[in-house]
Amino acid sequence: MTLNDIIVSALAQLDRGHDAQTMDIWRDKFTRFANDAVTDICTVYQPRRTDKIKTIDGTFTTAMLSRGCRKVLGVKREGCEERFFDGDSSEVIVTEGGPGEIEVTYRCVPRELFSSTDEPDIPQWMHGLIVSYVVGRERAAGDVSLQRGGNIYFQMYEAGKASIRPNLGGADSQRIVNRW
């Protein structure tokens, strides 16, 4: 779903029209709600990315990655795992290798939705949760007599969020590492 689809679905569930004027009225508010939902879902889902980076001296900063970085999970050079250490500020120092190309796997921050054609950085099957969250937030922000209507949407959102697993069964999602 695009941001526009999310807003149209939310307006339909709120029994409001989705003509151009109505969309303009609600776009900013619903975009904020949708971004809050994506951020909240990503705390459970914990999306990962792998980017290739060229290093000059074996160091890199998290600013060199294509998305915001919450945590570096692994560094590989030519398919082999490399040890890494935190450096000053946001630097990560690669110890075993020098210059060259490395693959950095990290837990990323989702991109914010701005344009009506933007799609959330979560799998397609989770997009319905964003609509539930937006509708719940809008109903909870309304008149006191209508606030109870938001509870069911928040319950659907929380139930859907509870079914999300952070690891989807990748080869390195669960392993035992002998440290001694």
Side-chain angles (χ1 to χ4, degrees):
M1 294 180 102
T2 63
L3 176 60
N4 201 43
D5 295 336
I6 292 168
I7 293 171
V8 167
S9 296
L11 287 171
Q13 290 188 23
L14 290 164
D15 293 327
R16 297 180 185 155
H18 56 274
D19 56 289
Q21 184 179 3
T22 306
M23 293 284 287
D24 286 342
I25 292 169
W26 297 103
R27 180 174 309 283
D28 290 339
K29 187 175 188 180
F30 285 4
T31 300
R32 280 195 318 271
F33 291 165
N35 282 324
D36 290 346
V38 171
T39 301
D40 187 45
I41 289 169
C42 285
T43 59
V44 175
Y45 176 56
Q46 300 177 358
R48 295 185 290 172
R49 287 184 62 88
T50 301
D51 290 346
K52 291 184 180 184
I53 297 176
K54 292 190 185 245
T55 63
I56 297 172
D57 57 355
T59 65
F60 68 94
T61 64
T62 55
M64 296 168 72
L65 300 170
S66 63
R67 296 277 198 300
C69 177
R70 290 194 192 271
K71 181 179 182 179
V72 176
L73 302 172
V75 176
K76 287 185 180 181
R77 184 183 305 268
E78 298 175 4
C80 298
E81 293 274 337
E82 271 193 26
R83 295 185 319 179
F84 60 93
F85 300 99
D86 290 337
D88 298 335
S89 67
S90 65
E91 281 192 38
V92 177
I93 300 173
V94 181
T95 59
E96 295 174 353
E101 188 173 86
I102 57 173
E103 291 181 2
V104 180
T105 302
Y106 60 101
R107 205 163 62 208
C108 63
V109 176
R111 283 181 297 152
E112 286 200 7
L113 304 170
F114 292 110
S115 173
S116 61
T117 58
D118 288 348
E119 290 193 20
D121 273 347
I122 56 176
Q124 186 77 25
W125 63 271
M126 294 181 197
H127 291 185
L129 295 176
I130 300 170
V131 176
S132 295
Y133 183 85
V134 170
V135 173
R137 284 276 300 264
E138 177 57 25
R139 287 195 185 257
D143 184 22
V144 176
S145 62
L146 299 174
Q147 286 181 353
R148 289 191 55 194
N151 291 346
I152 189 68
Y153 289 97
F154 283 131
Q155 288 173 356
M156 289 188 309
Y157 171 75
E158 290 297 330
K161 199 170 80 168
S163 68
I164 297 172
R165 299 289 176 252
N167 54 0
L168 299 175
D172 62 346
S173 64
Q174 299 195 11
R175 62 181 172 182
I176 298 173
V177 178
N178 186 357
R179 295 185 181 191
W180 294 279

